[in-house]
Amino acid sequence: VKRALDMQAYSNISSQTCLSDVRLSPDGRHIHVIVRQPKSGLMTHDKYQRPHLMQCQKHNDLVLSGNVPVVDVIYIPQSKPEDGASVLGVIFENGRVEFWKFLECRSGWHLLQTVDLCNSPRAKVSSVCMCQNVIIWCEERPPSENSNSVCSNFRFCICKKTIEVNEGGVNLGNVKIALHNNPRYTTVSSGDLVYLLPDMRENSSMGVLKVFLAWSPEHDTFKVHSACSCTLMKSSSKESDFKRLVTDCIGLLATINPPDICGFSPTGCGDLLLLLSTGWVCIMKRDGSLHHIYKLPDNCLSASGTQNSLKIYNEILALTIGRTLFLIDTKCGLELERISLKTEGLLFINTLDSHSPLMLSETGLFVVTQKPKPSPTLSEDSSALLVEAVFEEACKYYQQRSLSSKQLTVEKLKKGGMFQAPISLAAILRDYLQRLMSSLESELRSLILLEDIKTSVVKASDKDLENYCESLVQQEICRLLSGELERENLQYLNSIFHLFPTYSWHAMQAVLHLRCNGEGLLSSKAPAELWKIILSPVQPTANFAHCNGQQKHTTVPVFELLCQSIFKFQPSWLPRFLELAQQQSGGSSKSSWGYSMKESSESLPLYKRALTVLPCKGTHQHLEVELLLCSERPKAIMQALRILIKQGQWEWIAQVAERFCRQSPLLNKEIFIALLCEVSQHRDLDPYLDLLWTLCPEDMTVMSILNIVLKNLPDSMQNSGPFEAHGSQVTIGLLKPLLRKVLQRETKPSQRYADILQSPTVPPLTPPPLSIFHALDHLLYKLLEYFFSVDTTVCHYMLV
């Protein structure tokens, strides 16, 4: 980040000025500050292209002050580009507009004319924007005497006027109302579309704040959008009443809970960038689809406050959150760089250089530039050093495998040595040195670049040290993961992650090419060889602990190291990373459906290795449950189910049961029995009983079901008297649908004897009339209901 314009001379811009009240001209030459306190007004700071001509002249600054607040400023391009600079429009709250033009040859700003936007003198302008040759604003109409508080929220309208700048001045058309009876909206222009975003200062309990509109002034059509995944809610044409526009969406509004819009920025081609309260940066396409680009670290928005800005520069997303600048590749969602700022900044786009991020802060106007990376060249000196390094490595390799205790040096090896083996090795090196150099050129270049970075770190200033360190960490991690990890290299990798956690986190995303899509799924383009190194089993030499507190100063394997980094910076990614790792390991864990398989340190499943990074205090049990469920192993699933039962997460429990009962009959039975025990003790599962009864295993009988219920009844119910009311206890009436279903299944003829029964030598058995089963069913129900209320022990003996 380098300074483009020093603003220390402009002492009028105080630290109390909100950066959201600052505007920059399209050519980057004028900075406009909307002043709110103590008096409303406007201050402008100009950058002269020929300052030496202005030294002896008095230039006219654009400084406005008064009692009427300034809403915004807009730039209106000339009808003919050769007519010169654009015209600045200053819009006041009462609807008055002052048009100014900057003429450097005439000593600065000159007022062209003043006009009124609104027809009513009591109307107020709340927001304004330019779309092509149309000026659009949101106008607040004065409330009527009979209007209530609900109607007062819908006293705004969206208006438009055509505007044209020529030699004679500014020509405005007639006022046209595009939408009326709408809430307060912020108008945002992007290409040929205008987005109407809800103003969060309004009452948040209003359901209409869950949606926003996209309006095409050319075709006069509205689309209703939401920040949820189902974004396009309605497309309407020629509808000018807001209430009728959203009538069809009222039912859907009650079912959705979209995140708040914390920041936005138009792209200029009809799309809209959105920063949501969930931390996702999305782009709303003009067709209504919502594309997720990048997920901020958890709690990043709440920790950095509300000050943010975002822009796209040539497929690179620049995002400022507080005092941090993120650079993101919009094509893959990869974080390219994270820059710490001394003060908060606001991003702008300069039409003369739209590829470079422009950032305004209290101390100046800055441009973010990419430093050219030096391309390492193999000079004569470096080639000689590389040849020497090859011979040294050959000596080391020979010495490790030689039975002789005599040390082999590079000089002896070049001369041929005394024994046959060194002579043969030297001959091979002489004959194949060029071929060896060419095959190792890429590795040698990376090593040279790594050494250059190390040298730059030693010589770097405090300002450049952070960038060099991050580059060095990424190079080292990439180098260590490119081959088999020995014990020393693993300890070295652990120390890098421990000393430089943030740089290691960025390097891990870059090396693995990790990307999180809008559905929360992680994807990676890393090769299979890299995943093999990452997922290698637990090394016996490493001190492997099962708690975060004990893991602090021990050497852990690569997989656990990456899980620790993810848990620290993006905890919500940890279950998805486990799923990705299981896919890369070949078929995840589904091949091990056995319950009695012994697990050693070498065969420890990935989900247990991922669980070791969680604290032992149980403060992240939601992550523990997700990791257990991601494993898809029966023991882990039952462990997760017990945790959810302890927490009382009954809706989640029902989802888990419905999902995993279909995968294994044995697991189905365990889940059903566990939930049936819970049904016996309380009534919290009543809303999910229909689902639970459908999961009843085929081998369950009426006797086994009632035995389970009786054994798990609470003590208070077993010792109670007859016919006492227990609103929170289970009754036979609740179990009747399950018992009826199982009883009917038990009375069906067994398919095992179907061939015998259909044999011509054996006459078929005559089934009893269906009325008998109904009678027995009714009799059994009445008896059980009676004995259940009198004494559960009697009921138990009756079943026996």
Side-chain angles (χ1 to χ4, degrees), residues 666-699:
L666 191 57
L667 182 60
N668 183 9
K669 189 171 183 178
E670 284 206 24
I671 293 177
F672 178 78
I673 292 176
L675 297 184
L676 188 59
C677 294
E678 294 299 316
V679 171
S680 308
Q681 298 177 10
H682 52 77
R683 301 289 296 272
D684 294 331
L685 277 168
D686 282 10
Y688 313 102
L689 288 181
D690 292 340
L691 171 63
L692 181 58
W693 301 157
T694 61
L695 302 178
C696 179
E698 292 290 333
D699 59 347

Side-chain angles (χ1 to χ4, degrees), residues 150-167:
V150 176
C151 296
S152 63
N153 292 327
F154 298 93
R155 65 178 184 271
F156 297 85
C157 60
I158 304 299
C159 307
K160 65 177 182 179
K161 264 187 181 185
T162 59
I163 186 169
E164 184 180 1
V165 179
N166 50 36
E167 296 179 357

